[in-house]
Amino acid sequence: MTIPSFFLLTLGCAKNEVDSAAMVTKLLQSGFSETEDPEQASVIIVNTCSFIQSATEESLEAIFDLAGLPSVEAGSVPLIVAGCMPARYGEDLELELTEANAFVPCSKEDDIASIAWQLVAHHNPDIVPKTESSDDLSAAGALAAISSDQKLGESGIHRSLPSAYVKISDGCDRRCSYCTIPDIRGAYHSFTLESILADIDQQVSQGAQEICLIAQDTGRWGQDFTPTSSLAELLDTIAAHFPETWFRILYLQPEGVTDELLEVMASHENICNYLDIPLQHVVPSLLRAMHRRGSADDFKKLFERIQTRIPDITLRTTFIAGFPGETEEDFQELCDFLEESPLHYVGVFAYSREENTPAFDLPDQLDEETKQERAQQLRDLADALCVSRVAERVDSSTQVLIEGAEDDGQLFGRAVFQAPEVDGVIYVDQGSIGSIVPVTIVDSLFYDLEGEVQA
């Protein structure tokens, strides 16, 4: 029997990448092979993002592009739309997006293999005899699959890379007024310590030197357990269990930065002195309208508390420009805060008015031009401030995890002060992919750095 193949396209954030990796694992274990060429696939899967309207539009564009392939148009290759879009739009999407053959929301992604087998059997009987059940087919393709006795955590097996993401929870209960995540991902629930250890162990065994812990709200980990636990306890355990592996915390809300967490970070050399803390704004009235808490003064004190315990900490945040009701004075206060803050990296988003969120119906909505202008002004200010801080690292020494090479062979990697994909890279003159090497920084270019490996 010919073994069918799948092509999977992932859109959106790192959490979607983890979900895709879990789906890949299930598909491979069920007997599929994977292809990087959609024109060679027996089934095509798009793991969509729908956090904001622009992400939805990008997902639709990708779906339409793949739906236009001759094999899909001819009906021999089914198209599956998975992830956030089906979770957010449900039956409305199924009625409107007739190009897709199946819709798999986030909550049903564990079923991706059986759904894919059923579709392949229906669309291409030459590959899969209709008389066989999907369970039989899974067994028939087992020789091509990953060993099914591997111990997997809730995030699944991921690709073998020097750096990997591990989800420690899913869902969110915060209900920020601009956010669609609770409707897409459901209620917050922590993954078990045993599951997380299994995920990390699998990644490390495949060569990962760095593990990035992600969730919609990493700081809440363990609070839904009986008895409760904490992110600090989780970090303390995994850092001790994997002493040679870097650990990085992403998506940590301000309330999650506890003294206990900072103590654990300071006590383990393999926990990256790096925190990604989304603030979104600094004006109290706007934060209340966002269903969030804090103020410029609160956040300044937070940064001071962090830096007192971990002086060489690297800080990243995100801001929303143009939220409903934001005045010129409010925006200027945000800019002033940025100028006075010790932030090293800043992400900026123009407010996106999303249907079925409380902020959609707020008064004093700003026009699109104003939102985009303010977002760009804030980005320009952030670049001017942060790029100069990046340049201050010239002549310093650091450890660099070599991640890959450009087409011309130029090696690049990251230090503990750079998160994957968002903070730039360090180009190095020698080394091997997957190794951690001592480097002297010799030059900077915008957010990227150039380094020489120390003899």
Side-chain angles (χ1 to χ4, degrees), residues 116-125 128-130 132 137:
W117 275 113
Q118 292 167 20
L119 287 172
V120 169
H122 178 75
H123 284 75
N124 199 328
V128 183
K130 288 184 179 181
E132 297 186 61
L137 293 167

PDB file of all heavy atoms in Angstrom, residues 116-125 128-130 132 137:
ATOM      1  N   ALA A 116      -7.729  12.996   8.972  1.00  0.00           N
ATOM      2  CA  ALA A 116      -6.942  12.973   7.736  1.00  0.00           C
ATOM      3  C   ALA A 116      -7.070  11.636   7.018  1.00  0.00           C
ATOM      4  O   ALA A 116      -7.217  11.588   5.788  1.00  0.00           O
ATOM      5  CB  ALA A 116      -5.479  13.269   8.056  1.00  0.00           C
ATOM      6  N   TRP A 117      -7.018  10.531   7.761  1.00  0.00           N
ATOM      7  CA  TRP A 117      -7.167   9.217   7.129  1.00  0.00           C
ATOM      8  C   TRP A 117      -8.524   9.078   6.441  1.00  0.00           C
ATOM      9  O   TRP A 117      -8.619   8.572   5.314  1.00  0.00           O
ATOM     10  CB  TRP A 117      -7.013   8.119   8.181  1.00  0.00           C
ATOM     11  CG  TRP A 117      -5.596   7.712   8.448  1.00  0.00           C
ATOM     12  CD1 TRP A 117      -4.894   7.898   9.605  1.00  0.00           C
ATOM     13  CD2 TRP A 117      -4.704   7.054   7.552  1.00  0.00           C
ATOM     14  NE1 TRP A 117      -3.621   7.404   9.479  1.00  0.00           N
ATOM     15  CE2 TRP A 117      -3.480   6.873   8.223  1.00  0.00           C
ATOM     16  CE3 TRP A 117      -4.820   6.604   6.240  1.00  0.00           C
ATOM     17  CZ2 TRP A 117      -2.375   6.257   7.630  1.00  0.00           C
ATOM     18  CZ3 TRP A 117      -3.722   5.988   5.641  1.00  0.00           C
ATOM     19  CH2 TRP A 117      -2.523   5.824   6.340  1.00  0.00           C
ATOM     20  N   GLN A 118      -9.582   9.517   7.112  1.00  0.00           N
ATOM     21  CA  GLN A 118     -10.917   9.400   6.537  1.00  0.00           C
ATOM     22  C   GLN A 118     -11.023  10.205   5.239  1.00  0.00           C
ATOM     23  O   GLN A 118     -11.603   9.737   4.247  1.00  0.00           O
ATOM     24  CB  GLN A 118     -11.954   9.869   7.545  1.00  0.00           C
ATOM     25  CG  GLN A 118     -12.097   8.951   8.755  1.00  0.00           C
ATOM     26  CD  GLN A 118     -12.880   9.578   9.883  1.00  0.00           C
ATOM     27  OE1 GLN A 118     -13.643  10.534   9.672  1.00  0.00           O
ATOM     28  NE2 GLN A 118     -12.705   9.073  11.091  1.00  0.00           N
ATOM     29  N   LEU A 119     -10.459  11.413   5.234  1.00  0.00           N
ATOM     30  CA  LEU A 119     -10.526  12.245   4.040  1.00  0.00           C
ATOM     31  C   LEU A 119      -9.707  11.659   2.897  1.00  0.00           C
ATOM     32  O   LEU A 119     -10.148  11.650   1.738  1.00  0.00           O
ATOM     33  CB  LEU A 119     -10.042  13.659   4.363  1.00  0.00           C
ATOM     34  CG  LEU A 119     -10.996  14.518   5.193  1.00  0.00           C
ATOM     35  CD1 LEU A 119     -10.315  15.812   5.611  1.00  0.00           C
ATOM     36  CD2 LEU A 119     -12.270  14.834   4.405  1.00  0.00           C
ATOM     37  N   VAL A 120      -8.515  11.174   3.215  1.00  0.00           N
ATOM     38  CA  VAL A 120      -7.672  10.581   2.167  1.00  0.00           C
ATOM     39  C   VAL A 120      -8.360   9.357   1.576  1.00  0.00           C
ATOM     40  O   VAL A 120      -8.350   9.148   0.358  1.00  0.00           O
ATOM     41  CB  VAL A 120      -6.276  10.230   2.732  1.00  0.00           C
ATOM     42  CG1 VAL A 120      -5.499   9.373   1.741  1.00  0.00           C
ATOM     43  CG2 VAL A 120      -5.504  11.500   3.038  1.00  0.00           C
ATOM     44  N   ALA A 121      -8.957   8.521   2.429  1.00  0.00           N
ATOM     45  CA  ALA A 121      -9.658   7.331   1.953  1.00  0.00           C
ATOM     46  C   ALA A 121     -10.807   7.703   1.030  1.00  0.00           C
ATOM     47  O   ALA A 121     -11.073   7.027   0.025  1.00  0.00           O
ATOM     48  CB  ALA A 121     -10.172   6.527   3.142  1.00  0.00           C
ATOM     49  N   HIS A 122     -11.476   8.789   1.362  1.00  0.00           N
ATOM     50  CA  HIS A 122     -12.631   9.213   0.557  1.00  0.00           C
ATOM     51  C   HIS A 122     -12.204   9.841  -0.770  1.00  0.00           C
ATOM     52  O   HIS A 122     -12.853   9.624  -1.806  1.00  0.00           O
ATOM     53  CB  HIS A 122     -13.476  10.200   1.359  1.00  0.00           C
ATOM     54  CG  HIS A 122     -14.648  10.734   0.603  1.00  0.00           C
ATOM     55  ND1 HIS A 122     -15.781   9.985   0.358  1.00  0.00           N
ATOM     56  CD2 HIS A 122     -14.872  11.954   0.024  1.00  0.00           C
ATOM     57  CE1 HIS A 122     -16.642  10.711  -0.334  1.00  0.00           C
ATOM     58  NE2 HIS A 122     -16.128  11.908  -0.540  1.00  0.00           N
ATOM     59  N   HIS A 123     -11.118  10.619  -0.759  1.00  0.00           N
ATOM     60  CA  HIS A 123     -10.728  11.379  -1.943  1.00  0.00           C
ATOM     61  C   HIS A 123      -9.800  10.634  -2.884  1.00  0.00           C
ATOM     62  O   HIS A 123      -9.692  10.992  -4.055  1.00  0.00           O
ATOM     63  CB  HIS A 123     -10.059  12.705  -1.523  1.00  0.00           C
ATOM     64  CG  HIS A 123     -11.024  13.733  -1.050  1.00  0.00           C
ATOM     65  ND1 HIS A 123     -11.635  13.675   0.184  1.00  0.00           N
ATOM     66  CD2 HIS A 123     -11.509  14.855  -1.651  1.00  0.00           C
ATOM     67  CE1 HIS A 123     -12.438  14.712   0.327  1.00  0.00           C
ATOM     68  NE2 HIS A 123     -12.381  15.437  -0.760  1.00  0.00           N
ATOM     69  N   ASN A 124      -9.100   9.635  -2.366  1.00  0.00           N
ATOM     70  CA  ASN A 124      -8.141   8.950  -3.221  1.00  0.00           C
ATOM     71  C   ASN A 124      -8.113   7.461  -2.892  1.00  0.00           C
ATOM     72  O   ASN A 124      -7.226   6.972  -2.200  1.00  0.00           O
ATOM     73  CB  ASN A 124      -6.745   9.553  -3.033  1.00  0.00           C
ATOM     74  CG  ASN A 124      -5.826   9.216  -4.197  1.00  0.00           C
ATOM     75  OD1 ASN A 124      -5.956   8.156  -4.799  1.00  0.00           O
ATOM     76  ND2 ASN A 124      -4.899  10.110  -4.483  1.00  0.00           N
ATOM     77  N   PRO A 125      -9.076   6.718  -3.405  1.00  0.00           N
ATOM     78  CA  PRO A 125      -9.149   5.287  -3.096  1.00  0.00           C
ATOM     79  C   PRO A 125      -7.963   4.488  -3.623  1.00  0.00           C
ATOM     80  O   PRO A 125      -7.727   3.374  -3.174  1.00  0.00           O
ATOM     81  CB  PRO A 125     -10.458   4.853  -3.776  1.00  0.00           C
ATOM     82  CG  PRO A 125     -10.829   5.947  -4.694  1.00  0.00           C
ATOM     83  CD  PRO A 125     -10.196   7.192  -4.218  1.00  0.00           C
ATOM     84  N   VAL A 128      -5.701   4.654  -0.417  1.00  0.00           N
ATOM     85  CA  VAL A 128      -6.246   4.006   0.764  1.00  0.00           C
ATOM     86  C   VAL A 128      -7.519   3.254   0.388  1.00  0.00           C
ATOM     87  O   VAL A 128      -8.516   3.883   0.044  1.00  0.00           O
ATOM     88  CB  VAL A 128      -6.574   5.045   1.853  1.00  0.00           C
ATOM     89  CG1 VAL A 128      -7.072   4.343   3.097  1.00  0.00           C
ATOM     90  CG2 VAL A 128      -5.361   5.889   2.161  1.00  0.00           C
ATOM     91  N   PRO A 129      -7.522   1.941   0.419  1.00  0.00           N
ATOM     92  CA  PRO A 129      -8.737   1.184   0.113  1.00  0.00           C
ATOM     93  C   PRO A 129      -9.872   1.552   1.062  1.00  0.00           C
ATOM     94  O   PRO A 129      -9.679   1.631   2.275  1.00  0.00           O
ATOM     95  CB  PRO A 129      -8.295  -0.273   0.329  1.00  0.00           C
ATOM     96  CG  PRO A 129      -6.811  -0.254   0.209  1.00  0.00           C
ATOM     97  CD  PRO A 129      -6.390   1.073   0.732  1.00  0.00           C
ATOM     98  N   LYS A 130     -11.060   1.769   0.509  1.00  0.00           N
ATOM     99  CA  LYS A 130     -12.196   2.171   1.337  1.00  0.00           C
ATOM    100  C   LYS A 130     -12.611   1.094   2.320  1.00  0.00           C
ATOM    101  O   LYS A 130     -13.263   1.375   3.311  1.00  0.00           O
ATOM    102  CB  LYS A 130     -13.394   2.516   0.445  1.00  0.00           C
ATOM    103  CG  LYS A 130     -13.230   3.815  -0.326  1.00  0.00           C
ATOM    104  CD  LYS A 130     -14.492   4.117  -1.097  1.00  0.00           C
ATOM    105  CE  LYS A 130     -14.358   5.436  -1.852  1.00  0.00           C
ATOM    106  NZ  LYS A 130     -15.593   5.768  -2.600  1.00  0.00           N
ATOM    107  N   GLU A 132     -10.808  -0.538   4.345  1.00  0.00           N
ATOM    108  CA  GLU A 132     -10.027  -0.551   5.568  1.00  0.00           C
ATOM    109  C   GLU A 132     -10.434   0.601   6.479  1.00  0.00           C
ATOM    110  O   GLU A 132     -10.710   1.701   6.019  1.00  0.00           O
ATOM    111  CB  GLU A 132      -8.531  -0.436   5.258  1.00  0.00           C
ATOM    112  CG  GLU A 132      -8.018  -1.617   4.464  1.00  0.00           C
ATOM    113  CD  GLU A 132      -6.508  -1.527   4.304  1.00  0.00           C
ATOM    114  OE1 GLU A 132      -5.810  -1.526   5.328  1.00  0.00           O
ATOM    115  OE2 GLU A 132      -6.053  -1.445   3.152  1.00  0.00           O
ATOM    116  N   LEU A 137      -5.594   1.200   8.854  1.00  0.00           N
ATOM    117  CA  LEU A 137      -4.617   1.942   8.051  1.00  0.00           C
ATOM    118  C   LEU A 137      -3.466   2.421   8.912  1.00  0.00           C
ATOM    119  O   LEU A 137      -2.312   2.412   8.481  1.00  0.00           O
ATOM    120  CB  LEU A 137      -5.312   3.131   7.389  1.00  0.00           C
ATOM    121  CG  LEU A 137      -6.351   2.746   6.324  1.00  0.00           C
ATOM    122  CD1 LEU A 137      -7.187   3.958   5.985  1.00  0.00           C
ATOM    123  CD2 LEU A 137      -5.673   2.189   5.093  1.00  0.00           C
TER     124      LEU A 137
END
